[in-house]
Amino acid sequence: MARIADKLAAGRTLSFEFFPPKSASAQMTLGRTVAELAPLGPDFVSITYGAGGSDRHRTGDVVGWMRTETDVEPMAHITCVGHTRTDVAALLVDYRRMGVENILALGGDLPADGSTPAGDYRYALDLLADVAATGCFSVGVAAHPEVHPRSSDRATDRKHLADKLRIADFAITQFFFDVEHYTRLVDELAALGVDKPIVPGIMPVTNLAQIHRMAKMSGSEVPGWLVDRLESARTDAEAKRIGMELASALCIDLIGAGAPGLHLYTLNRSEVAKQIKVNLGSVLV
C-alpha cells in the first residue's frame, strides 16, 4: 500500500518533509537523517521544490535515491510556477518510471524580483487537474490554516481550497502554532461540503530568527506566548527542549481534535522529529 490516500483511509499517518540538498555535505546530512528516521516507520516523506522550479532536478534525484536505496515512500512536490505542460508531463513520466505514486501539486513561490513567472500554469488548480487526469498518482495539495498570504480574503481562500480538494485526495497544511487554526479550517471546509483528509504540518521551533523569516513567507503567525517561552531559555539546548515540548503538545492536541495524521517539517535534521515521536508515545497509534 503505497498511495497516501489508501494509507490515510487505513489509519492515522506519520510523515516527514525534507528539502533537496545543494552540496555534497548536505547530501550526506540528508542521508544520515533519512537513515535515523526510517526506523520510526513513516508512512511517507515529502521532498520539496525550489522557487520557480529551481530544484526540480535535485528533487527528482532525491526521490529516485529514496525509491532505489531506502524503504521510505517518497512524495514528490511539483509547482506550477515556471513550468510548461510539457515540463510537467515529462516529470510525471519520469516519476512513474521510478515507481512514485504520490505527488503534492503546489502553486509555488513567485519570483523574488516580482516579475511575472514563466510557464503555462497560473494556479495550482490547473496543475492539479493535469496530474489527477493521468490517474497514476495519489495527489495532495497545500492548505493554509491562517489563509494563503496572496488570498484576497478568507472566504475566497476557502472556496479555492475546497475546489482543489474536490479533485485532490488530501491536503497538507502550512505550519501553524494554535490548534484552533486547524479545527477552524476543517470546519470551514466541511461547511463547503468537503471532508477530504487534512494533514496538519508541524514546525518544531528551536530558532526564533529562522521561524520569523519562514512565517513571514508563509503567512503564519508566531504567537507571543511561543516567543516568550523560547526567549526564556538560557541556552540553545534549553531552547531546543522547549521547542520540542511545544511541538509535541500541539501534536497531541491535533490528534485529540481528530487529525488524520501528522506531518513534521524536519529541516533535514532527525533529532527533533525523533524526540517528538518519543514524546507522543502511544498517542500516535
Side-chain angles (χ1 to χ4, degrees):
M1 185 169 60
R3 293 196 172 204
I4 293 171
D6 295 334
K7 292 175 180 286
L8 288 165
R12 187 176 292 114
T13 61
L14 173 66
S15 53
F16 304 123
E17 182 158 299
F18 304 112
F19 58 85
K22 297 183 179 181
S23 67
S25 62
Q27 176 66 53
M28 292 178 65
T29 297
L30 177 60
R32 287 194 298 269
T33 297
V34 172
E36 290 168 0
L37 292 179
L40 301 185
D43 294 279
F44 65 94
V45 302
S46 68
I47 315 300
T48 66
Y49 220 59
S54 59
D55 280 344
R56 75 174 72 175
H57 300 300
R58 283 190 289 264
T59 298
D61 289 345
V62 173
V63 169
W65 168 72
M66 286 189 173
R67 288 294 301 157
T68 58
E69 302 296 332
T70 79
D71 293 326
V72 177
E73 186 63 39
M75 173 178 67
H77 291 207
I78 299 180
T79 65
C80 65
V81 171
H83 286 94
T84 65
R85 284 187 158 82
T86 301
D87 293 335
V88 169
L91 280 170
L92 296 179
V93 168
D94 287 344
Y95 283 138
R96 283 305 298 153
R97 286 173 177 164
M98 294 178 192
V100 173
E101 296 193 57
N102 302 290
I103 298 290
L104 194 67
L106 306 167
D109 298 325
L110 297 177
D113 61 6
S115 62
T116 300
D120 293 337
Y121 299 102
R122 185 176 181 187
Y123 297 114
L125 184 62
D126 304 320
L127 171 63
L128 169 65
D130 280 359
V131 178
T134 68
C136 296
F137 304 95
S138 181
V139 192
V141 295
H144 288 71
E146 296 169 80
V147 178
H148 193 288
R150 297 199 297 270
S151 288
S152 58
D153 56 72
R154 192 178 193 90
T156 301
D157 180 87
R158 296 310 190 235
K159 181 182 182 301
H160 184 63
L161 178 56
D163 288 343
K164 291 195 295 183
L165 280 167
R166 290 188 178 95
I167 300 173
D169 298 308
F170 61 94
I172 296 177
T173 78
Q174 184 53 265
F175 66 83
F176 57 93
F177 300 106
D178 286 304
V179 68
E180 290 80 9
H181 291 309
Y182 176 79
T183 55
R184 183 179 180 186
L185 168 66
V186 172
D187 289 345
E188 288 168 337
L189 289 170
L192 294 172
V194 175
D195 62 356
K196 297 284 182 66
I198 311 296
V199 179
I202 298 94
M203 177 71 79
V205 180
T206 59
N207 182 309
L208 275 177
Q210 182 181 54
I211 203 63
H212 276 302
R213 290 194 300 271
M214 297 175 71
K216 184 176 181 180
M217 293 175 61
S218 69
S220 301
E221 176 193 4
V222 181
W225 59 261
L226 187 148
V227 174
D228 291 343
R229 286 290 306 279
L230 286 171
E231 287 184 341
S232 71
R234 289 167 291 184
T235 65
D236 289 345
E238 186 177 1
K240 182 177 288 188
R241 178 185 58 77
I242 292 172
M244 289 188 291
E245 289 176 354
L246 294 176
S248 299
L250 177 58
C251 289
I252 290 170
D253 288 345
L254 287 164
I255 291 171
L262 299 172
H263 188 70
L264 300 182
Y265 295 103
T266 69
L267 301 182
N268 287 17
R269 302 287 180 175
S270 63
E271 179 185 356
V272 173
K274 286 167 65 178
Q275 186 58 52
I276 289 173
K277 179 66 162 59
V278 171
N279 291 349
L280 294 180
S282 62
V283 175
L284 190 57
V285 177

